[in-house]
Amino acid sequence: VSRRAASVRVTPLLQEAHAARFLGALRSVMHTPMQRFDPREGFQVWRFGWVPGEDDCDHPLCILGRWLRGDALSWVSALTERDLVPAPDPTFTSECAAKATFFEPYDDAGEGRSVAVRLLLTPTTWPPEWGGHLELLDGPEGAVVNRLAPAWNTLDLFDVSRSAWRRLPLIQKHLEGYTISTWFHAAS
């Protein structure tokens, strides 16, 4: 728990067999290169988006998405003591971090967003000097208040109403890491 950065890290999150199954599913789908080289919001990352299928779909990513919008949401609501609902957009995003991935400082806040949710499925960790450790900032040009290493089977939660600025320094080695992202919104 980092009160200054308004964040919580939970590890391990899932049963090992489930985490391995979800990682296998992420490795089997095409992540598309996404870039924006803009001085205010530059990034380069490989992404895959999906909407979970109905209850009878047994694809691992459908199971994971339904869990995140159901039991995980309820658990995070209880943990944060907030009445939370899923993001209006049912799409989940997987980001594949690899060499040359980076994010310039960006604001994770958005209309209705209360908690940013990141499930990390990174098989190995690496030192910060290789890049890729998420930095939580105290503003758009601010100081680093917390640095989070890529991790295996880990859930990161961020209170975006208190601290929403993030940055990901350029990954300089051939590495692999997956992060599934969504937001939980404050109930109206």
Side-chain angles (χ1 to χ4, degrees), residues 3-187:
R3 293 190 193 283
R4 183 169 177 220
S7 65
V8 173
R9 175 166 267 198
V10 178
T11 190
L13 177 69
L14 306 166
Q15 292 178 3
E16 189 65 23
H18 293 303
R21 184 175 179 211
F22 298 146
L23 176 61
L26 291 170
R27 284 177 166 161
S28 73
V29 295
M30 175 72 76
H31 286 69
T32 305
M34 308 291 290
Q35 301 176 8
R36 183 182 307 146
F37 297 109
D38 177 312
R40 293 165 289 150
E41 261 190 17
F43 65 83
Q44 177 168 286
V45 69
W46 289 258
R47 284 188 175 150
F48 170 75
W50 81 96
V51 175
E54 298 299 321
D55 289 346
D56 59 347
C57 179
D58 64 354
H59 189 279
L61 296 180
C62 290
I63 293 168
L64 176 59
R66 288 191 306 266
W67 177 77
L68 284 167
R69 291 179 71 89
D71 291 343
L73 171 67
S74 297
W75 179 76
V76 171
S77 287
L79 177 71
T80 61
E81 298 179 337
R82 294 181 187 185
D83 189 11
L84 300 172
V85 297
D89 181 351
T91 305
F92 287 91
T93 302
S94 167
E95 294 175 345
C96 178
K99 186 173 183 177
T101 297
F102 76 94
F103 284 94
E104 292 297 332
Y106 66 95
D107 184 356
D108 212 9
E111 187 173 338
R113 291 180 183 171
S114 183
V115 178
V117 180
R118 294 175 3 117
L119 172 59
L120 291 87
L121 294 172
T122 301
T124 59
T125 58
W126 54 81
E129 54 270 17
W130 292 359
H133 286 218
L134 183 68
E135 296 177 345
L136 310 182
L137 309 173
D138 65 3
E141 303 294 326
V144 174
V145 295
N146 199 2
R147 182 174 285 117
L148 299 168
W152 172 246
N153 192 11
T154 297
L155 182 71
D156 285 335
L157 304 171
F158 308 108
D159 180 348
V160 295
S161 67
R162 288 189 41 216
S163 177
W165 286 93
R166 319 269 182 261
R167 171 177 58 213
L168 190 78
L170 179 73
I171 298 177
Q172 301 177 34
K173 302 272 186 183
H174 287 289
L175 302 165
E176 174 195 46
Y178 293 89
T179 302
I180 292 101
S181 300
T182 191
W183 294 269
F184 294 153
H185 287 229

